[in-house]
Amino acid sequence: DAGVIQSPRHEVTEMGQEVTLRCKPISGHNSLFWYRQTMMRGLELLIYFNNNVPIDDSGMPEDRFSAKMPNASFSTLKIQPSEPRDSAVYFCASSFAGWTGELFFGEGSRLTVL
Amino acid sequence: AQSVTQLDSQVPVFEEAPVELRCNYSSSVSVYLFWYVQYPNQGLQLLLKYLSGSTLVESINGFEAEFNKSQTSFHLRKPSVHISDTAEYFCAVSEEGGADGLTFGKGTHLIIQP
């Protein structure tokens, strides 16, 4: 069975450009999480969805960030406009209903904003 | 809200020596505890978890962790490390019965020296 799939794996863009990161969770999982990893701040939870509904987006840094989950098999994280301080690795993770805390992570999208 | 403290950002150890990676947490409710491992350029993988029952939990590759409620700790140990154990290790906590994602520590980089 395929794991969590993220794309692109690497993205290099210029400041001011729009960036869209994509995630396909494991089939059957109904919770999806977006995390950001930087050297300075470690792993930060940005937003999570249960049954495609955003539950908590308090971790989203500012209005430039938005996330959607139009169906159970797809989610996007968009940054518009991007800034150099957004450079990080963005991870998507999914989990089962009746959740005990085990998250299954994708391999991440490394974003560099010049 | 819960929090996780990993006291060491980096732990150098000689090959075949024992190692302990420290993790302390704080929470006002019962928790689930996890250790995740991140190899270079990869996502996080679950190493082991404590949900309930025996306070000593083990992984398939020789790591173990012990839940100590009185000391609010969940330290990770291995009696003899290998070069292949070189990675970043993250301790994480979630609230029992909750589904709000995991709160991660900042990680400990385990460096195995030959």
Side-chain angles (χ1 to χ4, degrees), chain A residues 58-80:
Chain A
S58 59
M60 297 284 263
E62 47 196 276
D63 292 345
R64 298 184 297 106
F65 286 69
S66 62
K68 294 183 179 179
M69 192 165 185
N71 57 62
S73 59
F74 184 66
S75 177
T76 59
L77 178 67
K78 186 176 292 186
I79 308 172
Q80 166 63 20

Side-chain angles (χ1 to χ4, degrees), chain B residues 96-107:
Chain B
E96 190 173 315
D100 295 341
L102 296 177
T103 299
F104 285 89
K106 293 210 168 181

Side-chain angles (χ1 to χ4, degrees), chain B:
Chain B
Q2 61 269 33
S3 66
V4 177
T5 302
Q6 290 183 248
L7 296 169
D8 305 301
S9 60
Q10 193 167 286
V11 172
V13 178
F14 287 107
E15 194 172 14
E16 298 183 7
V19 68
E20 178 179 83
L21 306 183
R22 295 179 292 172
C23 172
N24 289 87
Y25 69 92
S26 68
S27 176
S28 56
V29 300
S30 296
V31 296
Y32 300 136
L33 292 159
F34 305 82
W35 278 98
Y36 279 78
V37 59
Q38 184 180 29
Y39 298 105
N41 299 314
Q42 293 187 25
L44 280 73
Q45 305 170 33
L46 181 67
L47 187 61
L48 47 75
K49 62 184 176 184
Y50 170 78
L51 303 180
S52 64
S54 172
T55 57
L56 184 65
V57 290
E58 300 177 351
S59 72
I60 59 172
N61 58 351
F63 283 93
E64 64 179 31
E66 185 158 20
F67 169 54
N68 188 319
K69 188 173 182 179
S70 63
Q71 297 188 6
T72 60
S73 68
F74 192 55
H75 302 329
L76 181 70
R77 303 183 182 93
K78 189 170 185 180
S80 175
V81 296
H82 302 283
I83 289 286
S84 59
D85 293 325
T86 297
E88 191 86 14
Y89 291 81
F90 293 90
C91 184
V93 64
S94 68
E95 291 185 352
E96 190 173 315
D100 295 341
L102 296 177
T103 299
F104 285 89
K106 293 210 168 181
T108 298
H109 188 194
L110 179 59
I111 301 168
I112 310 300
Q113 301 168 328

